[in-house]
Amino acid sequence: FVPLAQSDDEKNDKIPSLSPSEIVQDLATRGLTHIMVEGGPATARAFLHSGVVDRAILVRAPVEFQEPVPAQMDEDTMKTAGLNMIGTTEMGGDVVEYWTREGLEWPNPDDLSSWP
């Protein structure tokens, strides 16, 4: 959820927010048909769980943390959101995964990494 700006009176109350579905609907009324959402795993999961993601690019870096916090961005999460992996590439040691909704072609299927 995305917090909205709040007045001083509202700071003691529940923080108002918009769901990913509401954000996408609002942008659609403004004529936007493609948006890019960048953020951490919580933001990604919120959009995935809302069912508003048609394509996703996940970058997995080979980094180990002393106290890791699971991102919960696994194959089950993506498949539950209706996405299928169509390929992977490697970039600078990172593994890049490309996911799309079934029946939705990738913009350039011959070169996944050329989009966006």
mmCIF file of all heavy atoms in Angstrom, residues 19-41:
data_model
loop_
_atom_site.group_PDB
_atom_site.id
_atom_site.type_symbol
_atom_site.label_atom_id
_atom_site.label_comp_id
_atom_site.label_asym_id
_atom_site.label_seq_id
_atom_site.Cartn_x
_atom_site.Cartn_y
_atom_site.Cartn_z
ATOM 1 N N SER A 19 -4.551 1.032 -2.458
ATOM 2 C CA SER A 19 -4.133 -0.301 -2.857
ATOM 3 C C SER A 19 -3.496 -0.225 -4.238
ATOM 4 O O SER A 19 -3.750 0.717 -4.999
ATOM 5 C CB SER A 19 -5.334 -1.243 -2.893
ATOM 6 O OG SER A 19 -6.149 -0.937 -4.007
ATOM 7 N N PRO A 20 -2.693 -1.216 -4.597
ATOM 8 C CA PRO A 20 -2.132 -1.232 -5.948
ATOM 9 C C PRO A 20 -3.222 -1.182 -7.023
ATOM 10 O O PRO A 20 -3.041 -0.518 -8.041
ATOM 11 C CB PRO A 20 -1.354 -2.551 -5.989
ATOM 12 C CG PRO A 20 -0.915 -2.737 -4.572
ATOM 13 C CD PRO A 20 -2.097 -2.267 -3.757
ATOM 14 N N SER A 21 -4.351 -1.850 -6.797
ATOM 15 C CA SER A 21 -5.448 -1.804 -7.774
ATOM 16 C C SER A 21 -5.967 -0.385 -7.959
ATOM 17 O O SER A 21 -6.233 0.042 -9.085
ATOM 18 C CB SER A 21 -6.599 -2.709 -7.330
ATOM 19 O OG SER A 21 -6.186 -4.050 -7.289
ATOM 20 N N GLU A 22 -6.101 0.348 -6.855
ATOM 21 C CA GLU A 22 -6.570 1.735 -6.943
ATOM 22 C C GLU A 22 -5.560 2.617 -7.668
ATOM 23 O O GLU A 22 -5.937 3.498 -8.444
ATOM 24 C CB GLU A 22 -6.835 2.295 -5.538
ATOM 25 C CG GLU A 22 -8.018 1.669 -4.846
ATOM 26 C CD GLU A 22 -8.124 2.059 -3.392
ATOM 27 O OE1 GLU A 22 -7.097 2.087 -2.683
ATOM 28 O OE2 GLU A 22 -9.260 2.338 -2.952
ATOM 29 N N ILE A 23 -4.285 2.368 -7.442
ATOM 30 C CA ILE A 23 -3.243 3.146 -8.121
ATOM 31 C C ILE A 23 -3.314 2.909 -9.624
ATOM 32 O O ILE A 23 -3.321 3.851 -10.417
ATOM 33 C CB ILE A 23 -1.846 2.773 -7.579
ATOM 34 C CG1 ILE A 23 -1.716 3.219 -6.125
ATOM 35 C CG2 ILE A 23 -0.743 3.371 -8.443
ATOM 36 C CD1 ILE A 23 -0.504 2.669 -5.407
ATOM 37 N N VAL A 24 -3.397 1.642 -10.024
ATOM 38 C CA VAL A 24 -3.447 1.299 -11.450
ATOM 39 C C VAL A 24 -4.716 1.863 -12.089
ATOM 40 O O VAL A 24 -4.674 2.416 -13.188
ATOM 41 C CB VAL A 24 -3.331 -0.227 -11.648
ATOM 42 C CG1 VAL A 24 -3.599 -0.613 -13.097
ATOM 43 C CG2 VAL A 24 -1.950 -0.710 -11.209
ATOM 44 N N GLN A 25 -5.845 1.749 -11.399
ATOM 45 C CA GLN A 25 -7.100 2.298 -11.932
ATOM 46 C C GLN A 25 -7.004 3.803 -12.116
ATOM 47 O O GLN A 25 -7.437 4.348 -13.132
ATOM 48 C CB GLN A 25 -8.266 1.943 -11.010
ATOM 49 C CG GLN A 25 -8.654 0.491 -11.058
ATOM 50 C CD GLN A 25 -9.669 0.113 -9.985
ATOM 51 O OE1 GLN A 25 -10.117 0.941 -9.206
ATOM 52 N NE2 GLN A 25 -10.022 -1.155 -9.947
ATOM 53 N N ASP A 26 -6.416 4.500 -11.139
ATOM 54 C CA ASP A 26 -6.275 5.952 -11.245
ATOM 55 C C ASP A 26 -5.380 6.324 -12.421
ATOM 56 O O ASP A 26 -5.707 7.226 -13.198
ATOM 57 C CB ASP A 26 -5.702 6.529 -9.947
ATOM 58 C CG ASP A 26 -5.511 8.028 -10.036
ATOM 59 O OD1 ASP A 26 -6.530 8.754 -10.115
ATOM 60 O OD2 ASP A 26 -4.337 8.473 -10.056
ATOM 61 N N LEU A 27 -4.263 5.622 -12.574
ATOM 62 C CA LEU A 27 -3.364 5.919 -13.692
ATOM 63 C C LEU A 27 -4.023 5.620 -15.029
ATOM 64 O O LEU A 27 -3.803 6.340 -16.009
ATOM 65 C CB LEU A 27 -2.056 5.138 -13.524
ATOM 66 C CG LEU A 27 -1.201 5.561 -12.331
ATOM 67 C CD1 LEU A 27 -0.024 4.618 -12.144
ATOM 68 C CD2 LEU A 27 -0.730 6.997 -12.467
ATOM 69 N N ALA A 28 -4.850 4.582 -15.082
ATOM 70 C CA ALA A 28 -5.562 4.256 -16.324
ATOM 71 C C ALA A 28 -6.515 5.381 -16.714
ATOM 72 O O ALA A 28 -6.657 5.696 -17.899
ATOM 73 C CB ALA A 28 -6.321 2.942 -16.171
ATOM 74 N N THR A 29 -7.172 6.007 -15.726
ATOM 75 C CA THR A 29 -8.072 7.128 -16.039
ATOM 76 C C THR A 29 -7.312 8.327 -16.582
ATOM 77 O O THR A 29 -7.883 9.175 -17.235
ATOM 78 C CB THR A 29 -8.895 7.579 -14.808
ATOM 79 O OG1 THR A 29 -8.017 8.122 -13.824
ATOM 80 C CG2 THR A 29 -9.715 6.438 -14.233
ATOM 81 N N ARG A 30 -6.005 8.355 -16.342
ATOM 82 C CA ARG A 30 -5.151 9.441 -16.838
ATOM 83 C C ARG A 30 -4.490 9.067 -18.169
ATOM 84 O O ARG A 30 -3.611 9.774 -18.648
ATOM 85 C CB ARG A 30 -4.083 9.780 -15.795
ATOM 86 C CG ARG A 30 -4.675 10.254 -14.483
ATOM 87 C CD ARG A 30 -3.627 10.234 -13.386
ATOM 88 N NE ARG A 30 -4.228 10.403 -12.093
ATOM 89 C CZ ARG A 30 -4.124 11.506 -11.352
ATOM 90 N NH1 ARG A 30 -3.432 12.529 -11.790
ATOM 91 N NH2 ARG A 30 -4.698 11.558 -10.173
ATOM 92 N N GLY A 31 -4.881 7.905 -18.728
ATOM 93 C CA GLY A 31 -4.387 7.510 -20.034
ATOM 94 C C GLY A 31 -3.127 6.661 -20.022
ATOM 95 O O GLY A 31 -2.587 6.355 -21.085
ATOM 96 N N LEU A 32 -2.651 6.270 -18.853
ATOM 97 C CA LEU A 32 -1.447 5.455 -18.795
ATOM 98 C C LEU A 32 -1.817 3.981 -18.938
ATOM 99 O O LEU A 32 -2.675 3.481 -18.219
ATOM 100 C CB LEU A 32 -0.710 5.677 -17.474
ATOM 101 C CG LEU A 32 -0.156 7.088 -17.298
ATOM 102 C CD1 LEU A 32 0.322 7.311 -15.880
ATOM 103 C CD2 LEU A 32 0.977 7.336 -18.274
ATOM 104 N N THR A 33 -1.164 3.312 -19.867
ATOM 105 C CA THR A 33 -1.447 1.891 -20.086
ATOM 106 C C THR A 33 -0.270 1.004 -19.689
ATOM 107 O O THR A 33 -0.427 -0.206 -19.604
ATOM 108 C CB THR A 33 -1.803 1.622 -21.562
ATOM 109 O OG1 THR A 33 -0.709 2.050 -22.379
ATOM 110 C CG2 THR A 33 -3.074 2.363 -21.950
ATOM 111 N N HIS A 34 0.896 1.599 -19.467
ATOM 112 C CA HIS A 34 2.073 0.861 -19.024
ATOM 113 C C HIS A 34 2.705 1.640 -17.871
ATOM 114 O O HIS A 34 2.937 2.845 -18.011
ATOM 115 C CB HIS A 34 3.119 0.724 -20.137
ATOM 116 C CG HIS A 34 2.694 -0.171 -21.236
ATOM 117 N ND1 HIS A 34 1.894 0.255 -22.270
ATOM 118 C CD2 HIS A 34 2.944 -1.474 -21.476
ATOM 119 C CE1 HIS A 34 1.672 -0.747 -23.090
ATOM 120 N NE2 HIS A 34 2.298 -1.812 -22.634
ATOM 121 N N ILE A 35 2.969 0.963 -16.771
ATOM 122 C CA ILE A 35 3.681 1.611 -15.668
ATOM 123 C C ILE A 35 4.779 0.674 -15.190
ATOM 124 O O ILE A 35 4.691 -0.538 -15.339
ATOM 125 C CB ILE A 35 2.758 1.988 -14.487
ATOM 126 C CG1 ILE A 35 2.109 0.749 -13.873
ATOM 127 C CG2 ILE A 35 1.718 2.999 -14.915
ATOM 128 C CD1 ILE A 35 1.382 1.035 -12.573
ATOM 129 N N MET A 36 5.817 1.250 -14.637
ATOM 130 C CA MET A 36 6.891 0.468 -14.052
ATOM 131 C C MET A 36 6.865 0.715 -12.552
ATOM 132 O O MET A 36 6.842 1.864 -12.110
ATOM 133 C CB MET A 36 8.245 0.890 -14.612
ATOM 134 C CG MET A 36 9.373 0.056 -14.086
ATOM 135 S SD MET A 36 10.926 0.457 -14.897
ATOM 136 C CE MET A 36 11.764 1.270 -13.571
ATOM 137 N N VAL A 37 6.843 -0.351 -11.793
ATOM 138 C CA VAL A 37 6.843 -0.245 -10.337
ATOM 139 C C VAL A 37 8.189 -0.735 -9.851
ATOM 140 O O VAL A 37 8.594 -1.849 -10.148
ATOM 141 C CB VAL A 37 5.720 -1.105 -9.708
ATOM 142 C CG1 VAL A 37 5.789 -1.056 -8.197
ATOM 143 C CG2 VAL A 37 4.366 -0.649 -10.220
ATOM 144 N N GLU A 38 8.885 0.118 -9.134
ATOM 145 C CA GLU A 38 10.178 -0.247 -8.586
ATOM 146 C C GLU A 38 10.082 -0.185 -7.084
ATOM 147 O O GLU A 38 9.489 0.734 -6.529
ATOM 148 C CB GLU A 38 11.247 0.753 -9.059
ATOM 149 C CG GLU A 38 12.351 0.117 -9.827
ATOM 150 C CD GLU A 38 13.415 1.102 -10.196
ATOM 151 O OE1 GLU A 38 13.137 1.969 -11.037
ATOM 152 O OE2 GLU A 38 14.524 0.992 -9.650
ATOM 153 N N GLY A 39 10.636 -1.156 -6.434
ATOM 154 C CA GLY A 39 10.610 -1.153 -4.979
ATOM 155 C C GLY A 39 11.153 -2.450 -4.439
ATOM 156 O O GLY A 39 11.612 -3.314 -5.183
ATOM 157 N N GLY A 40 11.056 -2.600 -3.164
ATOM 158 C CA GLY A 40 11.519 -3.820 -2.523
ATOM 159 C C GLY A 40 10.483 -4.924 -2.611
ATOM 160 O O GLY A 40 9.445 -4.788 -3.272
ATOM 161 N N PRO A 41 10.757 -6.023 -1.937
ATOM 162 C CA PRO A 41 9.857 -7.175 -2.022
ATOM 163 C C PRO A 41 8.449 -6.906 -1.486
ATOM 164 O O PRO A 41 7.483 -7.455 -2.020
ATOM 165 C CB PRO A 41 10.569 -8.262 -1.226
ATOM 166 C CG PRO A 41 11.675 -7.609 -0.500
ATOM 167 C CD PRO A 41 11.952 -6.310 -1.169
#
